[in-house]
Amino acid sequence: MSVEFIGYIATRESSEIIPPTGPIIDLDHVEAVARAHDDGGFDRALVAFHSTSPESILIAAHAASVTKKLNLMIAHRPGFTQPTLAARQFATLDQLTRGRVGVHIITGGDDAEQRQDGDFLGKEQRYERTDEYLEVVRKVWTNDVPFNHHGKYYRFERAFSTVKAWQKPHIPVYFGGALVSAWPDSQVLPATRKHHRRL
C-alpha cells in the first residue's frame, strides 16, 4: 500500500485558530494554496463539501486550472446529483486535467446538514443509497454499451456516457464514513471495504 500526502484547499483563509474573513470565494487564496500544494510536492489536495459551501467540483476545476501536476480529491455527496450525471461530470474533469481527479465520497454524517439540501433519509438508508450510487457510477465509467438499472433508489434505462475517465480503469474513489453498523466487523475496517473491492 502506498502513502499519499494529501492537503486541503479551502475557498478562503480560515482554520481552527484563524476565523474566516473576506469573501466566501477568495480566488487569490484558492490559487495560492493550490500552487503551494503543487510546488510542495503534495500528491493530492482535498476540496471539501458542505451543504452551505461553494460547490466542490467547480472549486476543484479552478484549482486544477492553475496547477500542473497536483491531483485533486473532490468531496462529493451522493443523493443530490444523479449518479449518471456525476459520473460524466467527474469523467469530463478527469479528461480536462489529464487524469488528476479523485472523488471522496461522503455519505453525510449530520442529519440537520443533510436536510439543508432536502435529504431526509437516515444514516442507514444513506449508506445503502451510496452503495447503489457507486454501483451506477462505476458502470457509467466502465461500460462500453448502455445498461439498465432498476434499484431501490435509482432507475435508468440505457444509461451510458461517451466520455470516460482519462485514468484507467476509472477515477480513484475514496470513502469517508463512521456508521458503526456499516462495518463488516467491529475490529478495523469500515464498510467501505465492499466499495473498494468493486471500485
Side-chain angles (χ1 to χ4, degrees), residues 3 5 8 16 23-24 32 38-39 47 57 68 77-78 83 97 100 109 115 125 132 151 160 172 190-191 195:
V3 174
F5 289 92
Y8 174 65
E16 294 81 7
I24 188 66
D38 204 31
D39 295 341
V47 179
I57 196 168
K68 295 186 185 327
R77 187 171 289 165
T97 63
R100 295 193 286 143
R115 291 179 183 134
Q125 293 168 304
E132 185 178 341
F160 183 71
H195 299 296

Side-chain angles (χ1 to χ4, degrees), residues 84 135-136 139-140 143 145-149 156-160:
T84 50
E135 178 184 342
V136 173
K139 286 180 180 178
V140 171
N143 277 25
V145 295
F147 66 93
N148 295 333
H149 176 85
F156 303 100
E157 293 182 358
R158 299 189 49 76
F160 183 71

Side-chain angles (χ1 to χ4, degrees), residues 36-85:
H37 282 80
D38 204 31
D39 295 341
F42 278 77
D43 296 303
R44 201 171 287 281
L46 171 68
V47 179
F49 179 96
H50 189 275
S51 292
T52 61
S53 68
E55 213 292 312
S56 58
I57 196 168
L58 298 175
I59 298 299
H62 185 68
S65 77
V66 300
T67 56
K68 295 186 185 327
K69 59 188 181 296
L70 179 66
N71 293 309
L72 299 161
M73 178 190 287
I74 304 166
H76 179 72
R77 187 171 289 165
F80 303 104
T81 304
Q82 291 294 331
T84 50
L85 175 58

Side-chain angles (χ1 to χ4, degrees), residues 55 57 76 80-93 103 133 136-138 140-141 147 154 156 159-161 163 171:
E55 213 292 312
I57 196 168
H76 179 72
F80 303 104
T81 304
Q82 291 294 331
T84 50
L85 175 58
R88 293 194 309 273
Q89 289 171 329
F90 286 116
T92 299
L93 187 55
V103 181
Y133 189 95
V136 173
V137 166
R138 180 189 55 82
V140 171
W141 282 341
F147 66 93
Y154 300 102
F156 303 100
F160 183 71
S161 176
V163 62
I171 293 166

Side-chain angles (χ1 to χ4, degrees), residues 4 7 16 25 69 101 127-128 135 152-153 157 168 182:
E4 288 188 307
E16 294 81 7
I25 299 176
K69 59 188 181 296
V101 169
Y127 274 84
E128 187 178 66
E135 178 184 342
K152 181 174 180 179
Y153 297 97
E157 293 182 358
K168 301 301 177 202

